[in-house]
Amino acid sequence: MNLSFFDQFSSPSLLGIPLILISMTFPALLLPSLDNRWVTNRLSTLQLWLVNLITKQLMMPLDKKGHKWAMILTSLMIFLLLINLLGLLPYTFTPTTQLSMNLALAFPLWLATLLTGLRNQPSASLGHLLPEGTPTPLIPALILIETTSLLIRPLALGVRLTANLTAGHLLIQLISTATTALFSTMPAVSLLTLMVLFLLTILEVAVAMIQAYVFVLLLSLYLQENI
């Protein structure tokens, strides 16, 4: 029974063919395509408003040099937001519960921010490894600690997103299993657990949105350090 709780995190396949690419590209089909009409419908207006809001929030901590990354960061934010929210629907698969996928998103973008800093301002980027005014005996230890903290950033990004979404899905499945198991024997307790499940679902919707925002916001902060 314990294994069945983790079956939802296994990548779906059909005839031995993994379907994770379909689950990753499907959210993009839900977005309405923009056209050149002067009068648009409400869905297109809502989409434009949401994109502008996300872009404005992500670009606030960045200088003008970092605004070149607006398209990448906004697209990543919408991508993670849609995948996290669609993964809360019953009988769906959430690709962002896979650590390999989250690391595949975090590592190249983190490396791009690091290489941007090393190309544009190498002295300032390397200066982050050694705080000013450090006593001479502590210099080797601090350089090692700062280097480790720098290299662990993409791992922290991927693990944070994976752990939060995995824990939420497990809690929802555990409480829903308890609700159905107690319905025939203790209906009052089953109703109480159903209310807890409803509140937890609302919480997980908020967590799905917050984790997508935190993932992209941290990348923008890493970018700000290197521009």
Side-chain angles (χ1 to χ4, degrees), residues 14-216:
L14 179 64
L15 300 177
I17 302 174
L19 303 179
I20 187 171
L21 291 178
I22 297 179
S23 61
M24 290 173 57
T25 55
F26 177 74
L29 302 177
L30 302 178
L31 297 175
S33 58
L34 299 178
D35 50 27
N36 295 325
R37 292 183 300 175
W38 285 9
V39 180
T40 58
N41 54 20
R42 295 179 180 177
L43 187 58
S44 298
T45 304
L46 180 62
Q47 179 187 2
L48 283 175
W49 174 81
L50 182 61
V51 170
N52 290 334
L53 179 64
I54 292 174
T55 305
K56 185 183 300 183
Q57 292 294 325
L58 293 177
M59 293 298 107
M60 282 178 58
L62 293 178
D63 296 335
K64 289 185 178 181
K65 295 180 180 179
H67 291 179
K68 303 175 184 178
W69 292 62
M71 181 67 71
I72 298 176
L73 296 179
T74 304
S75 302
L76 179 62
M77 173 72 182
I78 297 176
F79 173 72
L80 292 176
L81 189 63
L82 288 176
I83 285 184
N84 292 349
L85 292 177
L86 290 176
L88 293 174
L89 297 176
Y91 303 105
T92 56
F93 172 70
T94 312
T96 45
T97 56
Q98 306 294 313
L99 182 60
S100 57
M101 174 185 166
N102 295 333
L103 289 179
L105 290 174
F107 183 77
L109 293 173
W110 166 82
L111 185 61
T113 61
L114 183 62
L115 294 179
T116 300
L118 292 176
R119 184 189 65 179
N120 296 335
Q121 44 181 12
S123 300
S125 298
L126 295 176
H128 290 302
L129 302 179
L130 184 63
E132 187 177 356
T134 304
T136 305
L138 297 179
I139 288 179
L142 279 179
I143 292 178
L144 182 61
I145 292 173
E146 291 296 331
T147 304
T148 304
S149 65
L150 178 65
L151 297 178
I152 209 173
R153 282 179 175 180
L155 181 62
L157 283 175
V159 170
R160 181 187 297 108
L161 182 59
T162 303
N164 282 282
L165 295 180
T166 302
H169 283 67
L170 283 176
L171 281 175
I172 289 178
Q173 185 169 1
L174 285 171
I175 296 179
S176 61
T177 303
T179 302
T180 54
L182 296 174
F183 182 75
S184 58
T185 57
M186 292 181 287
V189 179
S190 177
L191 182 61
L192 181 61
T193 55
L194 182 62
M195 295 176 60
V196 174
L197 178 62
F198 177 72
L199 295 176
L200 181 62
T201 304
I202 297 177
L203 177 64
E204 285 305 314
V205 171
V207 169
M209 294 187 291
I210 291 172
Q211 289 303 316
Y213 176 69
V214 168
F215 187 92
V216 184

